[in-house]
Amino acid sequence: MFTMKLRKVTVAAATVLALTGTATACSNDKGSDEGKITVGIKYDQPGMGQKTPGGDYAGFDVDVATYIAEQLGYKKGDITFKETKTPDRENALKNGDVKFIVGTYSITPERDAQVDFAGPYFLAHQDLLVRSDSDVNKGTDLNGKTLCSVSGSTSAQNVQKKIAPKAQLREYNTYSECVSGLSSGAVDAMTTDDSILAGYAAQKQNKGKFKLLGLKLSNENYGVGVKSGDKATKDKINKAIEKMVSSGAWEKAVKANLGPADYDNEPAPKIGEIKK
């Protein structure tokens, strides 16, 4: 009888352990598992999010992502950065491929319907980048001149609509190609978010070559993307952002990554404050 009772207890205990293990496995997604976390960033935006030729990761967004992950309890060695290109971001969060995304991810109603956003943690604006010796000093000076943006972007059309209807548009596949065209004189200006433009201008090889005009053609509220319904992670990230700002680490990261371009950044926005 004693043996029978022992067998029943052992079987019951094993069943409980199995169920516990199953529940634990189900509660984790691929974005965070077994003390590791995968974070989405951009790989091709100098000053914001870039994978360097040496395989390191650098930029303001990388610094923000690292700070948040550490506040969530992960060490630097536990963080894996995954490239999340603009068209792939929502699916990466839905599928659990990443736990959160920090990658010049502007909060819009369309995106907010698919994922949740912590923040915003940064306010950028659409602007123009020109050569330092350029006679283009305001948007209207672009009439009759060549404006570069990437294929599929609405930034150049926005410039035409608002300030320079006679600007000649030229589209390249990447911002790096626009920068090369601007440097060589093939184009007279390029346009996108000022944070991205400042990142290129701040690169060592571009120091002193370019200037931002500071036109503030739009408000781009950068948020940290999380899976829809993941309120717990969103709340923790908001607290991490607030701590990064109050500790001075936020301002330090901005100056370190974008300061060389003489970028006049906006103060850190308040959590939940979206500027239209």
Side-chain angles (χ1 to χ4, degrees):
M1 184 177 290
F2 177 80
T3 302
M4 182 69 72
K5 287 183 179 180
L6 181 59
R7 285 186 62 192
K8 287 182 179 179
V9 171
T10 303
V11 171
T15 302
V16 170
L17 287 172
L19 289 172
T20 303
T22 302
T24 302
C26 290
S27 66
N28 289 326
D29 54 32
K30 291 174 280 185
S32 60
D33 189 27
E34 297 181 359
K36 306 288 185 180
I37 189 168
T38 302
V39 180
I41 61 169
K42 290 291 184 69
Y43 276 14
D44 58 350
Q45 294 180 344
M48 294 300 289
Q50 183 183 29
K51 185 175 183 178
T52 68
D56 295 323
Y57 302 94
F60 174 70
D61 278 346
V62 175
D63 289 346
V64 172
T66 302
Y67 190 96
I68 290 172
E70 290 180 334
Q71 290 300 306
L72 294 180
Y74 299 92
K75 297 178 182 178
K76 282 188 178 181
D78 298 328
I79 305 169
T80 297
F81 289 117
K82 181 180 178 67
E83 183 178 24
T84 47
K85 296 180 180 179
T86 298
D88 304 328
R89 291 183 295 201
E90 286 76 30
N91 281 334
L93 289 169
K94 289 177 183 177
N95 297 334
D97 296 330
V98 295
K99 188 66 176 177
F100 61 87
I101 295 175
V102 187
T104 59
Y105 202 176
S106 296
I107 302 171
T108 66
E110 295 77 16
R111 292 169 180 165
D112 203 27
Q114 300 182 65
V115 301
D116 286 347
F117 284 100
Y121 66 93
F122 195 85
L123 177 62
H125 308 281
Q126 186 189 341
D127 199 4
L128 293 174
L129 187 71
V130 300
R131 292 181 292 278
S132 295
D133 59 356
S134 174
D135 59 357
V136 176
N137 294 306
K138 55 185 185 295
T140 53
D141 294 337
L142 270 177
N143 282 311
K145 297 191 176 181
T146 306
L147 174 65
C148 185
S149 189
V150 297
S151 301
S153 170
T154 60
S155 298
Q157 288 81 1
N158 194 35
V159 170
Q160 274 190 323
K161 182 179 179 181
K162 290 186 175 181
I163 53 177
K166 295 182 180 179
Q168 300 170 13
L169 305 186
R170 182 170 296 177
E171 291 186 337
Y172 290 149
N173 290 324
T174 66
Y175 290 119
S176 294
E177 291 178 82
C178 278
V179 172
S180 297
L182 185 60
S183 182
S184 68
V187 298
D188 298 301
M190 66 176 287
T191 185
T192 186
D193 296 359
D194 55 7
S195 58
I196 298 172
L197 297 175
Y200 278 106
Q203 286 185 292
K204 190 175 182 179
Q205 67 268 29
N206 293 330
K207 191 173 182 180
K209 284 186 178 182
F210 308 117
K211 62 182 178 182
L212 284 85
L213 297 190
L215 299 181
K216 297 186 178 180
L217 298 174
S218 69
N219 291 327
E220 305 297 334
N221 302 272
Y222 292 166
V224 179
V226 300
K227 190 173 184 178
S228 180
D230 190 356
K231 186 178 184 300
T233 299
K234 176 182 174 179
D235 290 345
K236 289 176 183 177
I237 292 175
N238 279 333
K239 289 181 180 179
I241 294 170
E242 288 176 334
K243 185 174 180 179
M244 187 176 188
V245 173
S246 64
S247 69
W250 184 92
E251 186 69 23
K252 184 178 179 181
V254 173
K255 297 306 180 188
N257 291 290
L258 303 177
D262 295 323
Y263 177 59
D264 186 19
N265 66 280
E266 296 276 6
K270 293 181 180 179
I271 299 298
E273 182 179 272
I274 307 296
K275 291 200 173 182
K276 304 296 186 181

